[in-house]
């Protein structure tokens, strides 16, 4: 059995509880059934949803995990990161309370160790939902160990062979580091190790200006760390609209995050206790940056190694397992879902794809990933949430759009909360109220986006949203304002002339 004590640190009571749920040392693998309807390799979100859904429908299911049940999301991703971000936000609120709201003066240093202990305690409590115990009680045969395909219809784990009618590859992905000379020798953190810290670093370098890099840079700066973010691009969050990213960028600069764009990192070296990054800055000058830790947030790779995919007749490459729109691999009896095959590497997408796999693998379904409406959010302050198309996506598809933008500083609740930096932008199919995509920049953007996800998924036009009563005062009223703005576009000169005639007749 794989030793797991070194897989997650520190070794305290909370992490011991976590391990007890997601990779218990006393676990003995069951005797395999003669054949399974579904064998799932990987117990992250995609694998867990696939296994639980199939078992709930009465299928014979086996679930294989070589590391920790719950995968990245529970152990080193969504759960711990949001615990850390919520703590950092509370620290910032306490410090800013006096100036912004006339609150009491916050003095003294925060307790970073306590904040991280809280995260570990809460993560351990959540872990039962992804545990070996719970999934066994669902009627699933759980196998801990390395799963490897030995043929097109068989997987071996712990010296036992599991035969299947269908299988799912849900092994996820992992953080990778760019090939920077000296980086490996100097040592670095990724999302898989940064949550193991128990002492706040005095100085932190973050390589990468994507969502993970920005979230952690902002959070650790709020904890009091001197943070420098280095990125090869010209601004952070390049996937988002430039003006949306700029709002977050200004917020990061305002709290003291240092940003180095167009940075070309040449090497990393150890000098005593320091890790020194040598890089070429945007102006061509050679600079050195000495820090205590380096966080690499600049890339991921699919977990395809050691799975025996060749023996199973499953094609794969650098971007992961190759799948059709219906998530079927080159072996018609094997499917894949989640980060091992998807360009959208989000927990909620893995969940949605797993549901498609259940339908297609067990019931001859024809579910397609192209039919999914996919939202996402970056949990900075403010947050950026997006669903559907960007304007450039529509143009690439030859679709003309009408765009409505409503600034958050026109929304009363946002003003009163002191959270009026942001906007809602909605792209409509030209000449209609059909919503093609939306971007929301707001303190709680991720929580507010659901109404627009529903509208796009079920073709509810913005005109219909205008007829919905929204509670006042809320920040979500920004969606109602956008809908009202759409209605006003219907008051064309011709319509206005008709109204003028009408009102003259009925003086």
């Amino acid at each position: 059995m794989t030793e797991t004590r070194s897989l997650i640190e520190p070794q305290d009571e909370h992490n011991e509880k976590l391990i007890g749920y997601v990779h218990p040392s006393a676990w003995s693998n069951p005797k395999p059934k003669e054949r399974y309807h579904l064998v799932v390799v990987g117990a992250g979100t995609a694998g867990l949803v696939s296994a639980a859904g199939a078992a709930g429908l009465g299928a014979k299911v086996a679930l294989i995990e070589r590391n920790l049940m719950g995968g990245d999301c529970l152990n080193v991703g969504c759960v711990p990161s949001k615990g850390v971000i919520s703590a950092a936000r509370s620290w910032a609120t306490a410090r800013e309370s006096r100036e912004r709201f006339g609150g009491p003066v916050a003095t003294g240093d925060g307790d970073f160790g306590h904040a991280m202990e809280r995260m570990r305690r809460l993560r351990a409590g959540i872990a039962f939902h992804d545990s070996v115990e719970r999934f066994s009680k669902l009627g699933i045969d759980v196998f801990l160990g390395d799963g490897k395909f030995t043929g097109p219809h068989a997987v071996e784990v712990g010296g036992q062979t599991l035969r299947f009618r269908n299988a799912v590859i849900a092994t996820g992905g992992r953080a990778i580091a760019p090939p920077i000379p000296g980086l490996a020798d100097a040592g670095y953190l990724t999302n898989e190790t940064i949550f193991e810290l128990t002492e706040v670093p005095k100085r932190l370098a973050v390589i990468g200006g994507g969502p993970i890099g920005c979230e952690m840079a902002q959070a650790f700066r709020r904890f009091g760390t001197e943070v420098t973010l280095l990125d090869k691009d010209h601004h952070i969050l390049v996937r988002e609209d430039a003006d949306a990213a700029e709002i977050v960028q200004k917020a990061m600069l305002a709290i003291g995050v240092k940003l180095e764009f167009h940075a070309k990192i040449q090497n990393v070296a150890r000098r005593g206790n320091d890790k020194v990054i040598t890089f070429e800055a945007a102006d061509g000058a050679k600079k050195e940056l000495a820090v205590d830790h380096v966080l690499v947030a600049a890339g991921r790779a699919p977990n395809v190694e050691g799975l025996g995919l060749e023996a199973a007749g499953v094609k794969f490459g650098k971007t992961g397992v190759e799948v059709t729109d219906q998530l079927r691999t080159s072996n018609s009896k094997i499917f894949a879902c989640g980060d091992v095959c998807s360009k959208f590497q989000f927990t909620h997408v893995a969940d949605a794809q797993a549901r498609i796999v259940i339908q297609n693998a067990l019931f001859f379904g024809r579910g397609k990933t192209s039919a999914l409406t996919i939202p996402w959010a970056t949990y900075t302050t403010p947050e950026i949430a997006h669903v559907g198309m960007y304007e450039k996506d529509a143009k690439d598809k030859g679709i003309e759009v009408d765009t409505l933008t409503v600034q958050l500083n026109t929304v009363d609740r946002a003003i009163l909360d002191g959270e009026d930096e942001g906007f809602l932008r909605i792209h409509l199919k030209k000449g209609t109220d059909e919503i093609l995509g939306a971007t929301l920049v707001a303190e709680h953007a991720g929580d507010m986006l659901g109404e627009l996800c529903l509208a796009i998924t079920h073709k509810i036009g913005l005109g219909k949203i205008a007829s919905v009563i929204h509670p006042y005062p809320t920040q979500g009223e920004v969606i109602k304002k956008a809908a009202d703005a759409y209605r006003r576009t219907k008051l064309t000169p011709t319509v206005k002339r008709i109204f003028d005639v009408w009102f003259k007749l009925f003086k």
Side-chain angles (χ1 to χ4, degrees), residues 259-275:
L259 302 175
E260 292 281 356
F261 294 121
H262 296 292
K264 298 177 181 178
I265 301 176
Q266 298 172 342
N267 61 72
V268 182
R270 273 193 174 274
R271 292 182 190 168
N273 293 326
D274 291 347
K275 298 175 182 181

Side-chain angles (χ1 to χ4, degrees), residues 365-397:
R366 304 181 68 83
K368 296 181 178 181
T369 57
S370 59
L372 297 174
T373 298
I374 297 175
W376 58 78
T378 298
Y379 298 96
T380 48
T381 297
E383 297 175 355
I384 300 180
H386 179 84
V387 61
M389 297 183 191
Y390 293 98
E391 185 176 8
K392 60 181 178 289
D393 297 329
K395 287 182 177 179
D396 289 344
K397 294 181 178 182

Side-chain angles (χ1 to χ4, degrees), residues 150-188:
T150 55
H153 304 286
V155 176
E156 183 179 272
V157 56
Q160 300 188 94
T161 296
L162 282 59
R163 303 190 183 280
F164 57 82
R165 181 179 180 86
N166 291 284
V168 181
I169 301 166
T171 49
R174 65 187 184 280
I176 57 172
I180 299 171
L183 178 62
D185 291 336
Y188 60 90

Side-chain angles (χ1 to χ4, degrees), residues 20 76 145 175 184 200-201 230 264 266-267 269 328 330 366 451:
V76 296
V200 64
L230 302 99
K264 298 177 181 178
Q266 298 172 342
N267 61 72
R328 185 175 272 109
S330 51
R366 304 181 68 83
E451 183 175 2

Side-chain angles (χ1 to χ4, degrees), residues 12-33:
D12 65 358
E13 60 179 310
H14 305 305
N15 280 344
E16 286 181 7
K17 181 179 179 180
L18 175 74
I19 294 296
Y21 281 138
V22 299
H23 203 125
S25 58
W27 180 254
S28 295
N29 287 338
K31 180 180 178 181
K33 292 180 172 60

